[in-house]
Amino acid sequence: MTEQVIRKVLGEHAKLSVDSMALDPAADLYELGLTSHASVNVMLALEDAFDVEFPDELLRKSTFASIGAIRSALTELGAA
Amino acid sequence: MTSVSAPFTVAENAGLSLLARAEIVGRESAGPAAAEVDREGRFPHEALDALRVHKLLNCAVPVDQGGEGVSLGELCAVARILGRYCASTAMIFAMHQTQILSLVRHSTPGVTAFVAEAVANDYLIASATTELGTGGDVRSSVCAVARDGEAVSLTKNAPVISYGEYADAILVTARRTADSPPSDQVLVVCRRGDVTLEPTGNWDTLGLRGTCSPGFVLTATTSADLVVGAAYSEISSRTMLPVSHSVWSAVWLGIADAAMEKARSFVRSVARRSPGVTPPGALRLAEAAAVHQQFADLVAASAARFDAAASAQDESMSGMGFSLAMNNLKVTASTLVVDLVNRAMLICGIAGYREDSQYSLGRHLRDAHGAAVMVNNDRIMNNSAQLSIAYRGTL
Ligand SMILES: Cc1cc2nc3c(=O)[nH]c(=O)nc-3n(C[C@H](O)[C@H](O)[C@H](O)COP(=O)(O)OP(=O)(O)OC[C@H]3O[C@@H](n4cnc5c(N)ncnc54)[C@H](O)[C@@H]3O)c2cc1C
């Protein structure tokens, strides 16, 4: 469920060169075209979808590097 | 009219501090040639020779790799001194330091061997990050690395490569593979001997003319182990961007120093003519000095921020706060340098406006205007705008 929402958010905001629904959870999103510009939109959409706020410590590149990384960040925030 | 570079030998200079050596390079080589370098748009050969003689090209390389391991704060102090004498020389110094630190801080075995070679031979390293078709967006590439066994090749249409013709190596950004998206870049080390540079234009600019930065179609074939292992996104956010913004800002501070010196000396000469009367320029000078102080403090604090994060090896360097702070440094410093030269112009009046007076500010004013367009401030602020939506901390 969580993962599906993450994939949907990535599909809408990450501007990846591949289909986010078919993505390996460990795949490096930056290698697939995620820019820091787009990652901010991804973050905002995740906050919206999961009703959380990312604290400063999580606002770094590695947090958004893969579906798995996003998932663990959300778990850390108690959202998933 | 061009002065010959300082007749110092390495042995004589061994005992001198970093800043003393920078001062010698500035005073004896870069400064005396600066007007001619600017007028003719020629490469400051004598200053580069002096930087080599005084071992200033490799000072930031760690001691165990043959350098002196100086901090970014110290590098900035050198860039500032050089900037006071010749902004083009200082910019070349600054850009070179950014390139060599990028290699040192993101090294992989092939790159480590290259750094040793660069240190042993006092290489000057240039960079080709900007590309035709991406505007000034250095975080995206059109060209891509093509691999053929142990060899890699690439062709890049670069609108600006500073001192490309005089460099011993050029660091080039390119997409990782022909199938990679524009933002998935790698940094490729290309020795000059493995590169052909086909000029596509001149470098006839308002300022920073001695950086000799025309466009080239760059074609290179190099070895696969000279593709830096780390993703360029990492190299850019952790090293290239913060280091370049810091050392560039230090150069601009040096330009401001030069303008302030002229303003100060102008006000002093007026004061000497009418003892007991405070010259009208003195108030402006005091106001300018307050801005100048903020500028100097900002550059020092930003370099210290980098040095602290680098020594802690923590994650803060990839954080948004760090990026925002470094963006702010660049935009603020590039604005203040123009502001301060303008203030100096008002203080010196026609003497500053003249090209043939000891208070002439023309070169400084023209050089200062290179700052805001060197990675356009609007572009940087647009990036910051996006980060600001997300960032929650205080800088
Ligand atoms: C002295 C000097 C030396 C240089 N040396 C090198 C070098 O050695 N190697 C190298 O690779 N490059 C070098 N550069 C190039 C430099 O790094 C910039 O990339 C280049 O100046 C950008 O060109 P531009 O102004 O045409 O492009 P842009 O940055 O595209 O700016 C052009 C205009 O478009 C606007 N604009 C475009 N995109 C945006 C956006 N997203 N947001 C807001 N506004 C936008 C800007 O406001 C500006 O008005 C050098 C530049 C200078 C001045």
Side-chain angles (χ1 to χ4, degrees):
Chain A
M1 170 58 201
T2 305
E3 197 169 301
Q4 285 312 103
V5 179
I6 296 172
R7 287 174 187 280
K8 187 162 167 290
V9 165
L10 289 175
E12 281 164 11
H13 300 283
K15 301 207 173 105
L16 300 181
S17 56
V18 294
D19 178 8
S20 64
M21 290 300 166
L23 207 53
D24 185 312
D28 186 327
L29 299 179
Y30 294 103
E31 283 179 18
L32 297 170
L34 182 65
T35 61
S36 54
H37 207 263
S39 71
V40 169
N41 294 330
V42 168
M43 183 214 73
L44 293 172
L46 290 169
E47 289 192 336
D48 211 32
F50 292 96
D51 194 23
V52 290
E53 273 223 1
F54 284 85
D56 279 336
E57 318 82 81
L58 284 180
L59 295 186
R60 55 175 112 87
K61 197 165 173 263
S62 54
T63 304
F64 304 97
S66 66
I67 292 179
I70 293 174
R71 206 191 162 123
S72 359
L74 288 170
T75 309
E76 204 177 316
L77 294 176
Chain B
M1 287 165 285
T2 312
S3 83
V4 183
S5 40
F8 274 82
T9 65
V10 178
E12 276 174 287
N13 117 62
L16 293 174
S17 75
L18 185 74
L19 299 191
R21 286 180 278 152
E23 183 62 34
I24 290 170
V25 172
R27 196 176 54 234
E28 299 185 3
S29 303
E36 184 186 299
V37 162
D38 173 55
R39 191 169 54 245
E40 294 176 6
R42 71 155 173 89
F43 187 72
H45 291 286
E46 55 280 87
L48 259 293
D49 289 348
L51 285 171
R52 287 193 165 105
V53 166
H54 290 281
K55 293 280 159 215
L56 286 173
L57 289 183
N58 305 316
C59 56
V61 173
V63 175
D64 60 5
Q65 291 174 61
E68 295 174 49
V70 311
S71 66
L72 183 59
E74 291 169 295
L75 267 190
C76 285
V78 173
R80 177 179 181 178
I81 291 171
L82 297 175
R84 225 171 70 222
Y85 289 103
C86 171
S88 288
T89 298
M91 258 311 174
I92 294 167
F93 171 85
M95 291 188 269
H96 163 81
Q97 298 301 341
T98 305
Q99 309 320 319
I100 197 143
L101 273 178
S102 296
L103 298 182
V104 165
R105 286 170 39 82
H106 302 273
S107 82
T108 34
V111 174
T112 307
F114 174 81
V115 169
E117 177 188 327
V119 171
N121 299 291
D122 275 320
Y123 280 178
L124 177 65
I125 307 177
S127 98
T129 54
T130 316
E131 183 172 16
L132 227 64
T134 62
D137 180 11
V138 291
R139 281 289 292 105
S140 81
S141 288
V142 176
C143 68
V145 173
R147 277 171 204 268
D148 182 8
E150 277 310 293
V152 300
S153 56
L154 60 88
T155 299
K156 180 167 195 157
N157 195 343
V160 193
I161 304 180
S162 290
Y163 56 94
E165 284 187 86
Y166 307 95
D168 302 293
I170 304 179
L171 305 194
V172 187
T173 50
R175 287 182 298 128
R176 185 185 299 275
T177 68
D179 300 324
S180 306
S183 62
D184 184 23
Q185 300 162 288
V186 286
L187 188 64
V188 185
V189 182
C190 304
R191 287 190 186 86
R192 189 60 182 84
D194 299 331
V195 169
T196 52
L197 291 176
E198 212 182 295
T200 53
N202 299 325
W203 179 250
D204 186 5
T205 50
L206 211 49
L208 297 176
R209 296 169 57 82
T211 61
C212 300
S213 317
F216 298 97
V217 173
L218 175 154
T219 310
T221 302
T222 181
S223 58
D225 63 351
L226 287 180
V227 178
V228 182
Y232 182 65
S233 58
E234 282 289 302
I235 302 172
S236 169
S237 66
R238 287 175 178 267
T239 306
M240 234 191 235
L241 199 140
V243 171
S244 63
H245 288 186
S246 300
V247 284
W248 292 354
S249 296
V251 173
W252 303 331
L253 177 59
I255 297 174
D257 289 345
M260 286 294 291
E261 268 166 27
K262 286 180 179 167
R264 220 173 266 126
S265 117
F266 181 85
V267 172
R268 224 180 283 122
S269 79
V270 175
R272 268 197 298 267
R273 265 180 266 133
S274 352
V277 183
T278 307
L283 179 59
R284 280 202 181 274
L285 182 65
E287 289 169 348
V291 176
H292 190 215
Q293 179 185 340
Q294 290 173 21
F295 189 176
D297 287 352
L298 172 69
V299 173
S302 301
R305 185 188 281 258
F306 177 93
D307 285 328
S311 64
Q313 285 297 327
D314 60 16
E315 271 274 288
S316 65
M317 279 190 167
S318 65
M320 286 184 185
F322 187 73
S323 299
L324 280 168
M326 291 300 162
N327 285 355
N328 288 340
L329 164 67
K330 194 275 174 184
V331 171
T332 307
S334 58
T335 310
L336 288 183
V337 63
V338 176
D339 179 30
L340 281 168
V341 181
N342 283 341
R343 287 170 187 262
M345 187 72 84
L346 280 176
I347 292 168
C348 298
I350 201 75
Y353 194 65
R354 293 180 72 102
E355 285 282 66
D356 59 358
S357 106
Q358 67 181 116
Y359 303 108
S360 177
L361 289 159
R363 173 162 56 89
H364 304 311
L365 184 64
R366 288 183 288 103
D367 288 340
H369 276 289
V373 300
M374 188 162 188
V375 181
N376 197 290
N377 278 0
D378 279 349
R379 182 182 283 286
I380 292 177
M381 270 321 209
N382 244 19
N383 285 337
S384 287
Q386 179 74 359
L387 295 177
S388 299
I389 306 172
Y391 189 61
R392 279 102 221 244
T394 46
L395 294 175

